[in-house]
Amino acid sequence: MIGRLNHVAIAVPDLEAAAAQYRCTLGAEVGPAQDEPEHGVTVIFITLPNTKIELLHPLGAESPIGAFLAKNPAGGIHHICYEVEDILAARDRLKASGARVLGTGEPRIGAHGKPVLFLHPKDFNGCLVELEQA
Amino acid sequence: MIGRLNHVAIAVPDLEAAAAQYRCTLGAEVGPAQDEPEHGVTVIFITLPNTKIELLHPLGAESPIGAFLAKNPAGGIHHICYEVEDILAARDRLKASGARVLGTGEPRIGAHGKPVLFLHPKDFNGCLVELEQA
């Protein structure tokens, strides 16, 4: 059911410092900062040959990243995103297995303009898992 | 400098349960459990179309995963691994930038039989980063 690893998301306390580190020290291809007000984040995508790293920084007081950084001030890996072909079929299969879908249970449009869902970390070895319809 | 994302490593409290979840619920290609006594872990590799997930479980009392699971009993993302062409050149570039290399600073042979190094999470946004010579 799951396909490619679409991205690994890393919450960072200083977006520009993290971007500079990936660009200059690690020599990676780093994109521009993009505000995503409907998701409460500013993101920078790092393009690796086979997948992406998504640097996340809070945008606004309601940001879902704020609490994570309060608990992990140095930052940390926030979630991993797997691609699926059919997000509603994936959701129904997961729910039938007992996994909890976060929020309303209906897909939202994610930062890439595609339908996404998040799964409860307690059901997936402590990992917040995002599914994105590829 | 960094190339492909070689793998994302997830520490899990119950290796067989996690493998079954990835195989049956998430429909992924899950390999056999492999004991790596020199690294203090038992690993299961999950092959995605573009990268791998490495499920990690402690092996032996000295396992580096033991303390992580004591702190995160449900499990969690333990590290990410980037490929590099020349691990000694990568190490020297990172050290020159002020990043700390864990252990002796000399590459060890990792679970894939290739030279690896780990970088201090405090220098990389709270992420434990492994470098593997591809």
Side-chain angles (χ1 to χ4, degrees):
Chain A
M1 182 173 78
I2 57 171
R4 298 173 73 257
L5 180 76
N6 185 276
H7 62 267
V8 177
I10 302 174
V12 301
D14 183 333
L15 195 56
E16 286 308 318
Q21 185 184 48
Y22 268 87
R23 184 183 293 116
C24 304
T25 308
L26 293 173
E29 183 187 333
V30 177
Q34 305 171 35
D35 288 342
E36 304 277 354
E38 70 277 26
H39 295 284
V41 292
T42 302
V43 302
I44 287 181
F45 285 106
I46 296 164
T47 304
L48 301 180
N50 60 333
T51 189
K52 295 188 293 284
I53 303 294
E54 182 180 279
L55 301 178
L56 293 176
H57 189 72
L59 177 66
E62 302 296 308
S63 173
I65 305 301
F68 182 89
L69 282 176
K71 195 173 163 192
N72 305 278
I77 300 172
H78 185 263
H79 68 265
I80 51 178
C81 176
Y82 297 127
E83 297 179 0
V84 294
E85 283 191 13
D86 181 334
I87 201 159
L88 294 177
R91 176 196 64 184
D92 293 345
R93 175 169 165 170
L94 285 159
K95 284 177 75 172
S97 79
R100 288 164 285 180
V101 176
L102 297 184
T104 64
E106 295 303 317
R108 296 178 61 197
I109 298 302
H112 308 108
K114 295 181 175 175
V116 302
L117 283 174
F118 284 88
L119 307 176
H120 200 302
K122 288 201 176 158
D123 296 334
F124 290 91
N125 307 293
C127 303
L128 179 58
V129 173
E130 181 180 14
L131 298 180
E132 178 175 304
Q133 187 164 294
Chain B
M1 183 173 79
I2 57 171
R4 298 173 72 257
L5 179 78
N6 185 276
H7 63 267
V8 177
I10 303 174
V12 302
D14 182 332
L15 195 57
E16 285 308 319
Q21 184 184 47
Y22 269 86
R23 184 183 292 114
C24 304
T25 309
L26 293 173
E29 184 187 331
V30 177
Q34 305 171 34
D35 287 342
E36 304 277 355
E38 71 276 29
H39 296 284
V41 291
T42 302
V43 302
I44 287 181
F45 286 106
I46 297 165
T47 305
L48 301 181
N50 61 331
T51 189
K52 296 189 291 282
I53 303 295
E54 182 179 279
L55 302 179
L56 293 177
H57 189 72
L59 177 66
E62 301 297 307
S63 173
I65 305 302
F68 182 90
L69 282 177
K71 197 174 163 190
N72 305 278
I77 299 173
H78 184 263
H79 67 265
I80 51 180
C81 176
Y82 297 127
E83 295 178 1
V84 294
E85 282 190 13
D86 181 334
I87 201 158
L88 294 177
R91 175 196 65 184
D92 293 345
R93 176 169 165 169
L94 285 159
K95 284 177 77 172
S97 78
R100 287 165 284 180
V101 176
L102 298 184
T104 63
E106 295 303 317
R108 296 178 60 196
I109 298 302
H112 309 107
K114 295 180 175 177
V116 301
L117 283 174
F118 284 89
L119 307 175
H120 200 301
K122 289 202 175 156
D123 297 333
F124 289 92
N125 307 293
C127 303
L128 179 59
V129 173
E130 180 179 15
L131 297 180
E132 178 175 304
Q133 187 164 295

